Amino acid sequence: MLNRLYDFTFNFCPLPPLYNALFPPFHSFQISSTLPSFNMAFLVFPSAILLPFIHLFLTFNLANSEPFLGVNYGQVADNLPPPSATAKLLQSTAIEKVRLYGSDPAIIKALANTGKGIVIGTVNGDVPSLASDPNFAKIWVATNVIPYYPASNIILVTVGNEVITSNEQDLMNQLVPAVQNVQNALDAVSLGGKVKVSTVHSMAVLSNSEPPSAGKFHAEYNTVLQGLLSFNNATGSPFAINPYPYFAFRDDPGRAENLEYCLFQPNSGRVDSNSNLKYMNMFDAQVDAVRSALDSSGFKNVEIVVAETGWPYKGDNNEVGPSLENAKGYNSGLISHLRSMVGTPLMPGKSVDTYLFALYDEDLKPGPASERAFGLYNPDQSMIYDAGLSQQQQINTTSPVMAPIPDLSKSPETTPVVSNPPETTPNVSKSPVVPARAGPRPTANKAEFLHGATALPYSIIFFTVFILMLL
């Protein structure tokens, strides 16, 4: 009735979805530029005057919410700061999720009431027990989830890390029942659906990746992958993958514009000869290769999560690619790309949840120097380089820019790369999309390594109190 009598309308910009959830449609008014009496309008419906401020307030909060951005928190190091200091650091950043490789209680407790989503994991050595003994899975959940949830916002349990490409056949065969038993244990305590269950894969699960539309899983992994993907599909849990453009560049540095293509820098792009979609960076190409593999396997509804990706800022003298400039270029370019919400050519308009590798360096990891130089922060919480993760920087998001229309006359050569399963040939590849080893050495739980084994709810409360005081 008020709407008909006074004909109030707001013609600002489109209201965010959360606005409509908080305020019913009858609060939407139109205010013409020639109101007969401003005071009358305020007295009749004072909250109408506040609508532009409501819009700005909610838009600011949504801009500060970047649920797609996470970080890996490895512990294979002897110089890490206490978990409480790390929790404080994370609250000063745009990082919304943290992935642990184990289930360290000190870290899980430190992250309580921070609103940060937490991914915890079971070690590979626990897979056989989880698979064979449902009670072991129940004890694991009772020990590592129940005491902390929901104060600690545990969102996902990863059962093992890169098990399928570990060449340990026994672990592979037991992965699906292990995942199912963890799910059953969560269901038994009414956490099924609240805490998801999955596992993490290296890019070596793909036998073909270029062009991205030809993405395909290794035939030798089909049996276990069908079981896992059926589980992901039934439970709504993600397919977690570790794409690393750095390793693709390291293994094929001579390809024209390869570095620019990896680092989100200006380049001529690469056209998928099957789909005619143009790719401007390797991250999108790798993710879409996984999307194609999932789709061709019949699992179009299974979502992808990037569990790891990063670039080392230093390495040995004979390593190609590690540098402070390249690491900053990759991670800052990736963060800007995710914030743009452009998505990938096969998944436009959506940013895939992406966990950067890594929060800190892990100085106890073996291998070349680059393995110990993926960190974003020093142990004293200072930035190793500025990747654009501070809260002040997250509001300055990049406007979406769609990929240009493909120019097939300039399409580079895109010969499909088909690598044999690791069991039959040395793990060597020259694919510009999928490297020989598609990530750093799998990060272990620290104990396993050493011993061989919500800001938005508060904003809503504040806003509600603010409105009530004004009314």
Side-chain angles (χ1 to χ4, degrees):
M1 184 173 180
L2 288 173
N3 192 33
R4 293 196 302 272
L5 179 61
Y6 292 100
D7 192 30
F8 287 93
T9 301
F10 269 104
N11 289 320
F12 293 95
C13 36
L15 295 172
L18 183 59
Y19 177 89
N20 291 326
L22 291 175
F23 300 95
F26 64 83
H27 284 262
S28 298
F29 295 95
Q30 288 199 336
I31 294 181
S32 66
S33 59
T34 56
L35 276 174
S37 173
F38 175 85
N39 291 331
M40 178 181 293
F42 186 81
L43 290 173
V44 171
F45 194 68
S47 66
I49 295 299
L50 299 174
L51 285 176
F53 301 102
I54 293 171
H55 185 192
L56 289 175
F57 182 87
L58 293 176
T59 302
F60 176 82
N61 275 281
L62 291 173
N64 278 276
S65 177
E66 296 182 331
F68 48 79
L69 197 56
V71 72
N72 286 268
Y73 184 175
Q75 294 176 268
V76 185
D78 59 6
N79 61 350
L80 298 180
S84 58
T86 296
K88 186 176 180 180
L89 167 65
L90 289 167
Q91 288 183 289
S92 71
T93 71
I95 295 166
E96 291 293 329
K97 300 176 182 179
V98 183
R99 179 189 170 209
L100 309 180
Y101 291 88
S103 53
D104 189 311
I107 298 176
I108 297 174
K109 288 179 182 178
L111 292 172
N113 303 311
T114 63
K116 305 298 182 184
I118 307 169
V119 178
I120 62 175
T122 78
V123 299
N124 287 3
D126 281 342
V127 169
S129 297
L130 290 168
S132 62
D133 186 359
N135 286 327
F136 186 91
K138 291 179 180 179
I139 293 170
W140 195 94
V141 168
T143 303
N144 298 291
V145 179
I146 295 174
Y148 313 109
Y149 185 89
S152 295
N153 184 26
I154 299 171
I155 57 175
L156 178 67
V157 174
T158 57
V159 179
N161 186 42
E162 299 187 353
V163 169
I164 289 182
T165 52
S166 67
N167 293 328
E168 297 185 47
Q169 194 65 42
D170 288 343
L171 289 183
M172 287 176 56
N173 294 338
Q174 297 176 90
L175 187 55
V176 173
V179 167
Q180 187 62 64
N181 279 342
V182 173
Q183 180 69 56
N184 293 341
L186 289 167
D187 291 343
V189 292
S190 300
L191 289 179
K194 298 175 183 177
V195 180
K196 302 290 187 181
V197 183
S198 192
T199 189
V200 180
H201 308 280
S202 79
M203 287 289 286
V205 295
L206 295 183
S207 64
N208 199 37
S209 59
E210 190 177 1
S213 61
K216 186 178 180 181
F217 293 121
H218 266 298
E220 299 226 354
Y221 303 145
N222 277 352
T223 299
V224 63
L225 279 174
Q226 283 291 319
L228 285 170
L229 289 170
S230 295
F231 173 86
N232 293 144
N233 191 57
T235 62
S237 63
F239 184 82
I241 193 76
N242 295 340
Y244 277 91
Y246 160 68
F247 287 100
F249 172 74
R250 184 198 66 180
D251 293 343
D252 191 15
R255 182 165 179 175
E257 294 187 321
N258 211 18
L259 186 60
E260 293 84 356
Y261 188 60
C262 288
L263 298 182
F264 298 90
Q265 294 175 355
N267 64 92
S268 60
R270 299 176 185 176
V271 176
D272 186 315
S273 56
N274 296 327
S275 66
N276 289 341
L277 294 172
K278 191 168 188 178
Y279 287 83
M280 303 306 296
N281 65 80
M282 190 174 291
F283 177 83
D284 283 355
Q286 290 185 331
V287 171
D288 274 2
V290 176
R291 180 73 269 161
S292 295
L294 290 170
D295 292 353
S296 65
S297 298
F299 295 97
K300 295 184 177 182
N301 294 326
V302 173
E303 297 287 340
I304 296 172
V305 162
V306 173
E308 291 180 25
T309 190
W311 198 287
Y313 63 88
K314 65 180 179 181
D316 293 322
N317 292 335
N318 62 346
E319 291 191 83
V320 178
S323 75
L324 199 64
E325 181 181 9
N326 288 349
K328 180 178 179 180
Y330 178 74
N331 281 314
S332 62
L334 173 61
I335 291 167
S336 295
H337 181 58
L338 294 172
R339 284 176 174 161
S340 75
M341 300 298 288
V342 170
T344 71
L346 282 181
M347 296 180 287
K350 174 186 178 182
S351 288
V352 172
D353 284 9
T354 300
Y355 292 76
L356 304 175
F357 188 88
L359 187 60
Y360 301 116
D361 287 341
E362 296 179 271
D363 65 340
L364 297 181
K365 294 187 78 171
S370 59
E371 292 281 348
R372 297 176 291 281
F374 277 84
L376 296 164
Y377 292 89
N378 291 301
D380 64 359
Q381 285 88 62
S382 62
M383 290 184 293
I384 296 175
Y385 55 86
D386 187 356
L389 286 169
S390 68
Q391 287 184 339
Q392 290 79 8
Q393 292 167 309
Q394 66 180 323
I395 302 173
N396 299 320
T397 57
T398 304
S399 299
V401 178
M402 300 308 293
I405 298 173
D407 182 354
L408 298 182
S409 65
K410 297 180 180 180
S411 174
E413 293 182 4
T414 52
T415 303
V417 177
V418 181
S419 58
N420 293 321
E423 292 80 8
T424 58
T425 62
N427 201 3
V428 176
S429 170
K430 287 296 182 181
S431 168
V433 177
V434 179
R437 181 169 58 80
R441 296 176 186 274
T443 298
N445 168 276
K446 186 176 182 181
E448 181 184 38
F449 174 80
L450 294 176
H451 303 293
T454 61
L456 189 56
Y458 293 108
S459 299
I460 295 173
I461 294 171
F462 172 81
F463 170 74
T464 303
V465 172
F466 173 71
I467 294 298
L468 291 175
M469 290 174 64
L470 289 176
L471 296 179

